[in-house]
Amino acid sequence: MIGNGPGWGTGRLPSVLAVLVALSCSVGLAVATGESYRPVAAAADGCRPTWISAWQAAAQPGPALPGLGGATVRMVVHPQVTGSQVRLRLSNAHGSTPLAVGAVTAARSDGAAGLVLGTARPVPFGGQQAVVIPAGGEVVSDAVPLVAEAGGPLAVSLFLPVVPPVLTQHVAMQNSYLSGRGDATFGDAGAFGERMPSSVVLTGVDVFAPRPVNAVVAVGDSITDGMGALPGQTWPDVLSGRLADAGGATRMAVLGAGISGNRLLADDGPQQGDVPLSRFDRDVTAASGATDVVLHIGTNDLAAGRSGADVVAGLQRYAEHARAAGKRVFLTTVTPSLAGPHGTPAAVAARAEINAWVREHGGAYADGVFDFAAAVADPANPARLAPEFDAGDGLHLSAAGYHALAAVVDTTQLTGSPCLAGDPPARVLVANR
């Protein structure tokens, strides 16, 4: 919805142009170009301080919530890398018109909507306190002097004077809050009276780390997004904890790129976000330090009637693309289900065909395979989830199920972070872990 907050008129809703003019007159405005954000190149001499992607969420289109226009949204995120500065990636990838962001702050969070006293910092873009993101574009902020600690919560607050009906966001597993009307980017917790089910516009947080920390990007659908579990219990979260506990060169950040309902293959039906190959540049290329990709997807394609051969061909294309881009890629088997269209006889047979190919031939296209299906299948009937791993709908996993998936990832096959060799284990504190 388009909002109409204080200072933006009381009759007809303001046009985007009027908002941009008002912003430019009052606080100065940076207008982003249409070019996609790309990470800074790695330091030539190896282990120098560098920018690292410490948190991200996959961009997807969704309706703007009522009340969002003219208000401030505060999102609490947990970066996985410690650093002395932060910068933010904002996205209008799914917008059809330019998006004005009136003000942005970053601060250390109390874990909810509250800010740690004295830590709030304005976040500029090209030296300006507001920015316009072009339709289909992304923008990265200037560097902000704010210490981020691995696992420690950060609060990012955005004032959005006007929002379109469809907004780039990430739905599920988010910890976000909405204020009343006006710019509350420096406001305390009392200004944020409403919880939100999604993050909006913010798709990445980079930190300036003393040494490079490599990352593995977890790409997939609702199983990767953690549907059915609490924040901190998804398989990417659990894998992140395993890597942090191991310490030294084994340690890596694990960046989320799961979208609930996502499919591997494009078709004429409704899609929940872009397919993984279409969003590869946003999910993987733009993530500073990303060296590895784990792809777990396919169940929604089977529910939509795609064949096992179709999905296998899609897995091959994705793996070939990732390796051509210089990334190490790992394929997984598709987790079992007898629920609704995911469990029809045709879907069950196609899933078995896909999983047999991944186990027998996936290694010829990828750098390794992880048998997610075997980790959570019911021994009495491998076509369905074991009861202890079932979140209750026959498709999504319980916390124990996500732990089981993370456990079968062979961390010795991952690239790791050579610059951290010799470091002791440093546990990343993830909520509810």
Side-chain angles (χ1 to χ4, degrees):
M1 295 183 66
I2 298 178
N4 187 23
W8 300 96
T10 57
R12 296 172 59 190
L13 297 180
S15 67
V16 172
L17 178 60
V19 171
L20 304 190
V21 170
L23 282 171
S24 62
C25 292
S26 62
V27 295
L29 186 66
V31 179
T33 68
E35 295 181 1
S36 296
Y37 163 59
R38 289 293 179 265
V40 174
D45 57 352
C47 295
R48 291 180 57 188
T50 189
W51 286 101
I52 298 295
S53 289
W55 175 89
Q56 74 174 24
Q60 63 186 111
L65 293 178
L68 187 57
T72 301
V73 60
R74 176 164 291 167
M75 295 156 285
V76 179
V77 302
H78 293 79
Q80 296 184 35
V81 180
T82 297
S84 58
Q85 301 177 69
V86 302
R87 64 185 186 188
L88 310 180
R89 193 192 322 167
L90 306 184
S91 177
N92 191 24
H94 295 285
S96 58
T97 60
L99 176 67
V101 181
V104 185
T105 63
R108 299 182 72 167
S109 165
D110 64 2
L115 306 181
V116 175
L117 186 65
T119 65
R121 305 283 188 270
V123 179
F125 296 81
Q128 305 299 319
Q129 297 305 305
V131 66
V132 175
I133 311 172
E138 294 182 329
V139 63
V140 64
S141 76
D142 300 345
V144 177
L146 176 67
V147 173
E149 292 186 282
L154 289 181
V156 176
S157 304
L158 308 180
F159 171 48
L160 302 173
V162 174
V163 295
V166 176
L167 195 64
T168 300
Q169 56 191 285
H170 186 83
V171 180
M173 305 299 293
Q174 302 302 307
N175 191 13
S176 303
Y177 305 85
L178 184 64
S179 78
R181 298 292 185 177
D183 180 354
T185 52
F186 282 95
D188 60 20
F192 295 85
E194 184 178 345
R195 292 288 297 267
M196 286 180 54
S198 62
S199 61
V200 298
V201 184
L202 177 70
T203 55
V205 176
D206 293 352
V207 305
F208 192 67
R211 287 173 294 168
V213 180
N214 290 335
V216 53
V217 183
V219 180
D221 50 35
S222 57
I223 304 299
T224 294
D225 215 17
M227 189 69 68
L230 296 172
Q233 296 178 344
T234 70
W235 74 258
D237 289 334
V238 178
L239 176 60
S240 174
R242 285 186 60 203
L243 296 171
D245 289 346
T250 300
R251 186 178 171 194
M252 300 179 76
V254 182
L255 303 177
I259 298 178
S260 183
N262 200 225
R263 299 179 193 170
L264 175 65
L265 308 171
D267 59 23
D268 295 330
Q271 284 287 328
Q272 299 296 319
D274 294 331
V275 298
L277 197 56
S278 296
R279 56 189 174 95
F280 183 89
D281 282 350
R282 290 199 304 268
D283 292 342
V284 182
T285 307
S288 301
T291 55
D292 298 30
V293 183
V294 177
L295 178 67
H296 176 67
I297 201 164
T299 192
N300 294 315
D301 298 273
L302 300 181
R306 300 303 292 259
S307 70
D310 287 342
V311 174
V312 165
L315 294 175
Q316 292 174 353
R317 286 193 296 271
Y318 188 93
E320 289 170 345
H321 182 86
R323 297 184 82 176
K327 309 301 180 183
R328 303 186 73 232
V329 61
F330 300 87
L331 301 177
T332 72
T333 50
V334 182
T335 49
S337 178
L338 292 178
H342 300 270
T344 64
V348 170
R351 184 180 288 108
E353 178 184 352
I354 296 163
N355 290 349
W357 177 86
V358 170
R359 292 172 182 131
E360 296 172 18
H361 306 291
Y365 292 86
D367 294 277
V369 300
F370 305 132
D371 199 345
F372 278 13
V376 294
D378 186 344
N381 182 359
R384 69 184 180 194
L385 292 171
E388 66 269 27
F389 298 144
D390 189 342
D393 63 2
L395 174 64
H396 298 102
L397 304 183
S398 64
Y402 289 121
H403 273 263
L405 296 189
V408 299
V409 175
D410 182 357
T411 60
T412 65
Q413 295 188 46
L414 303 178
T415 299
S417 299
C419 289
L420 303 184
D423 283 6
R427 190 178 184 87
V428 173
L429 302 177
V430 179
N432 298 311
R433 177 172 172 258

